Short mmCIF file of all heavy atoms in Angstrom, two decimals:
data_model
loop_
_atom_site.label_atom_id
_atom_site.label_comp_id
_atom_site.label_asym_id
_atom_site.label_seq_id
_atom_site.Cartn_x
_atom_site.Cartn_y
_atom_site.Cartn_z
N GLY A 1128 -162.11 100.11 329.27
CA GLY A 1128 -161.98 100.27 327.75
C GLY A 1128 -162.98 101.17 327.16
O GLY A 1128 -163.95 101.69 327.85
N PRO A 1129 -162.79 101.54 325.99
CA PRO A 1129 -163.74 102.45 325.21
C PRO A 1129 -165.12 101.84 325.29
O PRO A 1129 -165.42 100.62 325.13
CB PRO A 1129 -163.24 102.32 323.79
CG PRO A 1129 -161.77 102.04 323.89
CD PRO A 1129 -161.71 101.05 325.06
N CYS A 1130 -166.13 102.79 325.49
CA CYS A 1130 -167.48 102.44 325.57
C CYS A 1130 -168.34 103.25 324.62
O CYS A 1130 -169.53 103.39 324.69
CB CYS A 1130 -168.02 102.67 326.89
SG CYS A 1130 -167.49 101.49 328.12
N SER A 1131 -167.68 103.83 323.63
CA SER A 1131 -168.34 104.69 322.68
C SER A 1131 -169.43 104.00 321.78
O SER A 1131 -168.93 103.12 320.99
CB SER A 1131 -167.36 105.41 321.75
OG SER A 1131 -166.35 106.00 322.57
N PRO A 1132 -170.69 104.28 321.83
CA PRO A 1132 -171.62 103.61 320.97
C PRO A 1132 -171.47 104.10 319.56
O PRO A 1132 -171.49 103.35 318.59
CB PRO A 1132 -172.99 104.03 321.58
CG PRO A 1132 -172.71 105.22 322.39
CD PRO A 1132 -171.27 105.09 322.79
N SER A 1133 -171.22 105.39 319.31
CA SER A 1133 -170.94 106.00 318.04
C SER A 1133 -170.79 107.47 318.31
O SER A 1133 -171.25 108.00 319.33
CB SER A 1133 -172.01 105.73 317.12
OG SER A 1133 -173.24 106.45 317.49
N PRO A 1134 -170.16 108.28 317.56
CA PRO A 1134 -169.28 107.88 316.52
C PRO A 1134 -167.87 107.29 317.01
O PRO A 1134 -167.79 107.09 318.27
CB PRO A 1134 -169.05 109.14 315.72
CG PRO A 1134 -169.05 110.26 316.79
CD PRO A 1134 -170.12 109.68 317.81
N VAL A 1135 -167.04 107.05 316.17
CA VAL A 1135 -165.71 106.54 316.61
C VAL A 1135 -164.93 107.64 317.48
O VAL A 1135 -165.03 108.82 317.15
CB VAL A 1135 -164.80 106.16 315.43
CG1 VAL A 1135 -163.46 105.82 315.74
CG2 VAL A 1135 -165.47 104.99 314.70
N ASN A 1136 -164.46 107.22 318.58
CA ASN A 1136 -163.65 108.18 319.44
C ASN A 1136 -162.15 107.86 319.32
O ASN A 1136 -161.80 106.69 319.02
CB ASN A 1136 -164.15 108.09 320.85
CG ASN A 1136 -165.39 108.87 321.11
OD1 ASN A 1136 -166.15 109.15 320.12
ND2 ASN A 1136 -165.80 109.08 322.31
N THR A 1137 -161.35 108.83 319.67
CA THR A 1137 -159.89 108.62 319.73
C THR A 1137 -159.49 108.51 321.19
O THR A 1137 -159.88 109.36 322.04
CB THR A 1137 -159.21 109.81 319.11
OG1 THR A 1137 -159.59 109.85 317.71
CG2 THR A 1137 -157.71 109.60 319.14
N TYR A 1138 -158.72 107.52 321.51
CA TYR A 1138 -158.22 107.29 322.90
C TYR A 1138 -156.69 107.37 322.84
O TYR A 1138 -156.07 106.85 322.01
CB TYR A 1138 -158.64 105.80 323.35
CG TYR A 1138 -160.09 105.69 323.49
CD1 TYR A 1138 -161.02 105.44 322.41
CD2 TYR A 1138 -160.76 105.96 324.68
CE1 TYR A 1138 -162.29 105.40 322.44
CE2 TYR A 1138 -162.12 106.01 324.83
CZ TYR A 1138 -162.92 105.63 323.67
OH TYR A 1138 -164.20 105.72 323.85
N GLU A 1139 -156.23 108.09 323.85
CA GLU A 1139 -154.76 108.46 323.87
C GLU A 1139 -154.18 107.74 325.08
O GLU A 1139 -154.67 107.79 326.21
CB GLU A 1139 -154.60 109.95 323.99
CG GLU A 1139 -153.16 110.32 324.22
CD GLU A 1139 -152.97 111.81 324.39
OE1 GLU A 1139 -153.46 112.25 325.49
OE2 GLU A 1139 -152.33 112.45 323.61
N PHE A 1140 -153.08 106.98 324.83
CA PHE A 1140 -152.29 106.40 325.91
C PHE A 1140 -151.04 107.11 325.99
O PHE A 1140 -150.37 107.34 324.98
CB PHE A 1140 -151.94 104.94 325.59
CG PHE A 1140 -153.20 104.03 325.43
CD1 PHE A 1140 -153.95 104.08 324.30
CD2 PHE A 1140 -153.57 103.24 326.48
CE1 PHE A 1140 -155.07 103.18 324.09
CE2 PHE A 1140 -154.62 102.40 326.31
CZ PHE A 1140 -155.35 102.37 325.18
N VAL A 1141 -150.66 107.64 327.23
CA VAL A 1141 -149.44 108.45 327.41
C VAL A 1141 -148.68 107.71 328.49
O VAL A 1141 -149.25 107.45 329.64
CB VAL A 1141 -149.76 109.96 327.71
CG1 VAL A 1141 -148.39 110.61 328.01
CG2 VAL A 1141 -150.57 110.57 326.79
N VAL A 1142 -147.44 107.28 328.20
CA VAL A 1142 -146.49 106.81 329.16
C VAL A 1142 -145.60 107.97 329.69
O VAL A 1142 -145.17 108.75 328.83
CB VAL A 1142 -145.64 105.67 328.73
CG1 VAL A 1142 -144.78 106.03 327.57
CG2 VAL A 1142 -144.82 105.12 329.92
N HIS A 1143 -145.54 108.19 330.96
CA HIS A 1143 -144.68 109.30 331.56
C HIS A 1143 -143.53 108.66 332.32
O HIS A 1143 -143.74 107.66 333.03
CB HIS A 1143 -145.46 110.08 332.61
CG HIS A 1143 -146.69 110.81 332.00
ND1 HIS A 1143 -146.51 112.15 331.59
CD2 HIS A 1143 -148.01 110.46 331.86
CE1 HIS A 1143 -147.68 112.60 331.24
NE2 HIS A 1143 -148.50 111.59 331.20
N ALA A 1144 -142.37 109.21 331.98
CA ALA A 1144 -141.17 108.81 332.81
C ALA A 1144 -141.17 109.78 334.03
O ALA A 1144 -141.32 110.98 333.79
CB ALA A 1144 -139.93 109.06 331.96
#
Side-chain angles (χ1 to χ4, degrees):
C1130 289
S1131 307
S1133 66
V1135 172
N1136 282 15
T1137 300
Y1138 294 84
E1139 177 185 63
F1140 296 81
V1141 180
V1142 60
H1143 293 270

